[in-house]
Amino acid sequence: MRKKKPFYLSAITLLTILMILSCLIIICFCDATVWKPFKTWTFLLQADKDKTLYNIAISYVAAYIFYILQVYIPEKNKEEGLIPLRAAIQREVQFFTMRIVHLWMSYYTYVIEQGKLNKPISKSLDSIFEESNMYDVLKLINLSDTSTQQAIYSSNYTWRNYTKDSLTKIINWGKEIIANRAAELPPEIYYAVFYMTTESNIVFLMQQLLSLPPSSFPFTTLAETIPTKSETHTIDLSTDIASIKTLVNWVNTEYSFLNHQKKYTIPSIHKIDISSYAKW
């Protein structure tokens, strides 16, 4: 069942509603009858000599006009001028996140098409990046088996090599974003990229272990590269999963904004549609 989006008013909408109410209060304090339905209320308000409400309304309208002219319109123009930069940043994060998604799609496709995974997996973000599903898939990827993602330069491109090369590209791309986009990215997105690049179990640590000579760490499946808690001997991919979901949702939210804005024509923006990448 799809969750209902919460209803909320934007700041400018709320301020405008208050401005309209202030205008109505000002009208009601007028000596002349501006609109007949206000006649009775006007009489009642004028019978009270306290003009506090009237003064507040006048002050609010003046402040609202000042805000619109000095803050809202300049900020709006500045925001529109930054749309091309915003599109470029969205593309960089989309490319980084898509590499992670594509890597995992190749794992799922392989184990499902080979009949190794004995449970249904829906083509959704929550199902694919669910801890138990991910770990089950990693246990079925034998590092010495030939990858379905064949390299042009190699006739025997194993899952070990494919995973190591893919993770290296992800990390290098992440480092570029970390180095160049600290000021432009929202803090939670910047940290998600930083975590996946420098601390993640399924990206950073796995790449480090796969880069070692096989004799130094002779594991046979990808699952063996995932650390377990010493006290419970269980894995914990919660931070990895949360980071990936945060990145996917942000990329798609930015795509929606960029795709609907009318000022610029931006042809090279893409969203991450999980179901379209699932090949099973």
Side-chain angles (χ1 to χ4, degrees), residues 4 7 13 19 31 61 65 80 125 148 166 173 202 218 234 244 254 265:
K4 292 183 178 180
F7 174 78
T13 302
M19 191 278 295
D31 293 332
V61 171
I65 294 172
E80 290 180 350
L125 181 65
T148 53
S166 297
W173 193 261
I202 62 173
T234 59
I244 292 171
E254 286 294 285
T265 300

Side-chain angles (χ1 to χ4, degrees), residues 77-275:
N77 292 336
K78 181 180 179 181
E79 180 181 308
E80 290 180 350
L82 291 175
I83 286 177
L85 175 62
R86 189 169 171 177
I89 295 172
Q90 187 269 355
R91 185 72 176 109
E92 291 176 9
V93 178
Q94 187 269 345
F95 195 65
F96 171 81
T97 310
M98 195 58 242
R99 283 183 178 272
I100 299 173
V101 171
H102 183 268
L103 178 62
W104 277 89
M105 289 301 184
S106 66
Y107 294 157
Y108 274 98
T109 301
Y110 171 73
V111 297
I112 290 173
E113 289 183 348
Q114 294 292 318
K116 296 184 176 184
L117 190 63
N118 297 318
K119 64 178 179 179
I121 301 293
S122 66
K123 300 177 181 181
S124 68
L125 181 65
D126 288 336
S127 180
I128 291 169
F129 291 102
E130 193 276 324
E131 189 169 79
S132 63
N133 290 342
M134 295 170 72
Y135 196 58
D136 286 344
V137 168
L138 293 178
K139 288 187 290 186
L140 297 171
I141 302 291
N142 192 316
L143 293 171
S144 62
D145 287 348
T146 301
S147 167
T148 53
Q149 310 294 317
Q150 289 289 337
I152 297 175
Y153 53 82
S154 175
S155 59
N156 185 27
Y157 198 46
T158 64
W159 281 108
R160 183 192 192 102
N161 293 332
Y162 168 66
T163 300
K164 180 186 69 175
D165 292 347
S166 297
L167 294 177
T168 300
K169 292 175 183 177
I170 291 169
I171 290 172
N172 289 339
W173 193 261
K175 288 179 178 178
E176 289 293 321
I177 295 175
I178 293 170
N180 299 314
R181 298 304 186 190
E184 293 95 351
L185 280 173
E188 67 276 13
I189 304 305
Y190 182 82
Y191 179 75
V193 175
F194 175 84
Y195 174 80
M196 295 304 296
T197 303
T198 64
E199 299 179 34
S200 167
N201 289 322
I202 62 173
V203 176
F204 173 75
L205 182 59
M206 186 181 289
Q207 189 268 350
Q208 296 295 301
L209 292 175
L210 292 176
S211 298
L212 296 173
S215 58
S216 301
F217 199 85
F219 43 79
T220 58
T221 67
L222 278 176
E224 294 173 61
T225 67
I226 304 297
T228 58
K229 298 178 182 178
S230 58
E231 64 277 9
T232 61
H233 300 289
T234 59
I235 63 168
D236 182 9
L237 300 179
S238 57
T239 307
D240 298 66
I241 293 169
S243 298
I244 292 171
K245 290 182 177 180
T246 296
L247 290 170
V248 171
N249 291 332
W250 182 83
V251 165
N252 290 344
T253 299
E254 286 294 285
Y255 169 84
S256 180
F257 166 79
L258 294 167
N259 197 43
H260 287 89
Q261 59 83 29
K262 304 299 182 184
K263 187 167 184 178
Y264 297 93
T265 300
I266 305 174
S268 59
I269 56 170
H270 304 276
K271 64 179 180 179
I272 298 177
D273 184 1
I274 297 295
S275 61

